[in-house]
Amino acid sequence: RPGLRAGALGAALVLLVVGAFTFESGAARPAAPRFALERLSDGAPDDLRGRGPVLVMLWATWCPSCRRTMPRLREAAPRHPGIRIVYLNQGETRAEVQAYANEHALPAEDVLLDPALQWGQAAGAVGYPTLLLLDADGRVAARAVGELSPARIAVLLESAGRR
């Protein structure tokens, strides 16, 4: 059994290291992409700039990790009123996203559409969900990839309040 324990310990260590690097933050802050996005609520354009810190979640309706992360973000949002949280759908139709938003009580004014995947590609998204924290100047201050626990969401949102 010592070999089994060593293997389990090694696997846990790998997961810990990988998890630690899915949240990045550093001195280099690239500008957020400048593609016009469309609000689900009224079809108006939105470019996410000039509104203080914004946490952008890149997601798709078919993504199980996105489905689990969204309610955690909605639950954390009231504790961080100065941070706008936006759900930026990647590559799906307005009808698909509207049906999902209705079924899961997503605030339509916070759901944006990127049907051509332009924003996600320009932001370097490699998987969903990808969360990008934009500072007040529209620069990417932090990035997290993959499903986030409530604790990791809290750390991300609290870091936005310090920027």
Side-chain angles (χ1 to χ4, degrees):
R1 303 248 185 210
L4 189 59
R5 269 192 293 224
L9 181 60
L13 183 59
V14 166
L15 287 175
L16 180 63
V17 169
V18 168
F21 286 104
T22 59
F23 174 71
E24 315 164 1
S25 139
R29 291 187 179 182
R34 286 190 176 256
F35 295 103
L37 302 167
E38 187 178 326
R39 281 197 302 259
L40 181 62
S41 62
D42 59 9
D46 194 327
D47 72 358
L48 303 176
R49 295 177 184 276
R51 298 194 176 147
V54 179
L55 182 65
V56 181
M57 178 181 173
L58 304 176
W59 68 285
T61 61
W62 50 261
C63 167
S65 294
C66 300
R67 290 174 174 255
R68 289 187 295 268
T69 299
M70 279 184 180
R72 296 171 187 160
L73 280 174
R74 287 196 318 271
E75 185 178 300
R79 293 188 297 276
H80 303 277
I83 302 166
R84 181 182 181 205
I85 298 176
V86 172
Y87 306 93
L88 179 52
N89 181 269
Q90 298 292 285
E92 296 179 294
T93 67
R94 172 180 283 284
E96 289 171 311
V97 177
Q98 186 68 63
Y100 184 89
N102 291 345
E103 181 181 340
H104 297 278
L106 282 178
E109 64 277 2
D110 294 328
V111 178
L112 302 180
L113 305 173
D114 181 13
L117 303 167
Q118 290 178 309
W119 210 93
Q121 288 175 355
V126 295
Y128 304 129
T130 293
L131 284 84
L132 302 169
L133 177 60
L134 307 182
D135 65 17
D137 297 324
R139 298 197 147 314
V140 178
R143 172 189 312 260
V145 179
E147 185 173 340
L148 272 70
S149 68
R152 294 209 37 213
I153 290 169
V155 167
L156 186 59
L157 291 172
E158 286 165 15
S159 75
R162 294 188 300 265
R163 295 183 191 280

